[in-house]
Amino acid sequence: MRVIRKYANRRLYDTEQSRYVTLEDLRSLVLDEVPFRVEDAKSGEDLTRTILLSIIIEQEQADGEAEVFSNDLLAQFIRVYDMAKPLPLARYLEQGTRLMLEQQKHMQDQWQQAMRHTPMELMRELAEENMRFWQQNLGGNRNKQDDDDNDKS
């Protein structure tokens, strides 16, 4: 795993390439699926999440038309943090995003194969994949949550 050190002057140093990097460089690593860890140069504290959030903020500000996080959505996220028993939001978002990306790839593959199926068949397949995904992931969560609730009783 590539280690990036963050110094007090806010500069980021890629220890593998022995050079300073920018948030845009780290964004490229994410897009290329290169695993990395950002750590504080002094304390060694893991700052990866903070840097990833900074990349998202920069992306949101750079392209106002491609806004992903509306003000309403961000306000809802803040409310989730204030709940007595927060929802398993991280897992839900990760799984939903993974599904969305897989379906996007699937759609692109389908287009590249010159639409060997009719559009209705394609939509039916996607709907079936959605149902399987959510039955596997939410069905399993419900049973686990019921078990957790029973354990607490």
Side-chain angles (χ1 to χ4, degrees), residues 2-26:
R2 186 175 286 189
V3 175
I4 310 295
R5 292 211 173 93
K6 182 174 183 290
Y7 290 92
N9 63 4
R10 296 183 173 205
R11 293 191 74 186
L12 300 163
Y13 186 78
D14 184 337
T15 60
E16 185 174 299
Q17 293 186 340
S18 300
R19 69 180 186 96
Y20 287 100
V21 294
T22 64
L23 288 179
E24 183 59 33
D25 294 324
L26 297 183

Side-chain angles (χ1 to χ4, degrees), residues 33-51:
E33 299 184 22
V34 176
F36 65 88
R37 179 181 192 274
V38 179
E39 61 184 38
D40 183 89
K42 232 180 199 180
S43 68
E45 177 187 359
D46 186 356
L47 303 174
T48 308
R49 286 182 63 229
T50 303
I51 295 299

Side-chain angles (χ1 to χ4, degrees), residues 79-91:
R79 289 183 196 106
V80 167
Y81 283 100
D82 200 41
M83 295 174 72
K85 184 176 180 185
L87 301 170
L89 186 62
R91 182 176 172 166

Side-chain angles (χ1 to χ4, degrees), residues 1 5 23 32 46 52 55 59 63-64 82 91 98 102 104-105 113-114 117 125-126 128 133 137 147-148 151:
M1 176 173 295
R5 292 211 173 93
L23 288 179
D32 293 340
D46 186 356
L52 291 172
I55 293 169
Q59 188 84 29
D63 191 0
D82 200 41
R91 182 176 172 166
R98 186 176 300 118
E102 287 172 4
Q104 179 68 23
K105 183 177 181 343
Q113 293 177 14
H117 296 294
E125 288 177 12
L126 286 174
E128 288 174 358
F133 177 85
N137 290 293
D147 292 343
D148 290 346
D151 290 343

Side-chain angles (χ1 to χ4, degrees), residues 90-102 133-134:
R91 182 176 172 166
Y92 178 79
L93 289 173
E94 286 171 9
Q95 291 172 345
T97 304
R98 186 176 300 118
L99 174 65
M100 181 186 68
L101 291 172
E102 287 172 4
F133 177 85
W134 291 114

Side-chain angles (χ1 to χ4, degrees), residues 91 95 99 102 128-144:
R91 182 176 172 166
Q95 291 172 345
L99 174 65
E102 287 172 4
E128 288 174 358
E129 284 180 37
N130 277 341
M131 286 300 294
R132 278 193 301 276
F133 177 85
W134 291 114
Q135 286 170 342
Q136 289 170 351
N137 290 293
L138 291 181
N141 283 350
R142 189 176 304 121
N143 294 337
K144 182 178 180 340

